[in-house]
Amino acid sequence: SQTIHQWPATLVQPVGSPLSLECTVEGTSNPNLYWYRQAAGRGLQLLFYSVGIGQISSEVPQNLSASRPQDRQFILSSKKLLLSDSGFYLCAWSGLAPSYNEQFFGPGTRLTVL
Amino acid sequence: SQKIEQNSEALNIQEGKTATLTCNYTNYSPAYLQWYRQDPGRGPVFLLLIRENEKEKRKERLKVTFDTTLKQSLFHITASQPADSATYLCALDKKAAGNKLTFGGGTRVLVKP
């Protein structure tokens, strides 16, 4: 069966510090991978989308970047965190388009920027 | 601009009753619509998917309808239980944009015993 891992689970970082969040998927090949951010009491905002190694689509211009160095690894990074980067970060995977596949989410990382 | 609207107010309901949630959208032509459940501090969990050519879908105590003319989906939880208390999110695909979804803000459901 497929599983998705995210770490760390929680993170408190000072403004201006770098960030690296990691997501890995097991039990599937060639997944679509996604990074979302969820502000408190809000819906999910799609940040990045990847259909393959090295292929990243940015949905929202911002202070963050993403990379996919391996088929089942997705990394979210920042060189300098802003207060507005605080939130709940979720990684998800799905099967390949154009089939209508649901998305499977990881447990999330709670990021607080102080 | 494209919008997905869910009632932001919490839905309080007595155990055993049917909870009905609404998802309205504008300026979309989705190929399908999905509903997810999210518990506090957890990632969303997929519940149901309904395609644009389907009117209704059922799964156990859950029922989803999809009216592309009204641009609306209704999500029903019948015989609700306290364990159904959670936030429910609807999501639509961006047609011709792969498998990317756009989520509504979610509606919190509280089922009281």
Side-chain angles (χ1 to χ4, degrees), chain A residues 32 34 36 38 43-44 46 49 59 88 90 94-95 97 100-103 105-107, chain B residues 31-32 34 36 38 41-44 46 49 51 89 94 98-101 103-105:
Chain A
N32 287 348
Y34 312 84
Y36 291 89
Q38 187 174 34
L44 279 68
L46 180 63
Y49 164 71
E59 293 296 302
F88 190 44
L90 290 156
S94 73
Y100 299 150
N101 291 317
E102 62 265 28
Q103 294 187 8
F105 286 83
Chain B
Y32 57 91
Q34 300 183 23
Y36 288 77
Q38 187 175 25
R42 307 287 293 273
F46 170 78
L49 179 152
R51 295 178 172 79
L89 306 166
K94 293 182 181 181
N99 200 30
K100 291 187 286 187
L101 297 176
F103 283 82

Side-chain angles (χ1 to χ4, degrees), chain B residues 6-31:
Chain B
Q6 296 184 254
N7 193 341
S8 59
E9 292 185 14
L11 178 63
N12 293 293
I13 192 165
Q14 201 66 35
E15 182 177 7
K17 301 294 185 182
T18 296
T20 298
L21 285 65
T22 304
C23 176
N24 295 301
Y25 59 93
T26 55
N27 297 321
Y28 266 101
S29 296

Side-chain angles (χ1 to χ4, degrees), chain A residues 1-7 22-28 31-36 72-74 89-94 103-108, chain B residues 43-45:
Chain A
S1 64
Q2 300 88 5
T3 55
I4 180 169
H5 304 279
Q6 282 186 250
W7 64 90
E22 189 162 343
C23 170
T24 58
V25 181
E26 296 177 355
T28 187
N32 287 348
L33 295 173
Y34 312 84
W35 277 112
Y36 291 89
R72 290 167 288 179
Q73 184 185 29
F74 206 21
Y89 288 82
L90 290 156
C91 179
W93 72 273
S94 73
Q103 294 187 8
F104 301 93
F105 286 83
Chain B
V45 175

Side-chain angles (χ1 to χ4, degrees), chain A residues 20 54 65 68:
Chain A
S20 181
S65 62
R68 186 171 175 173

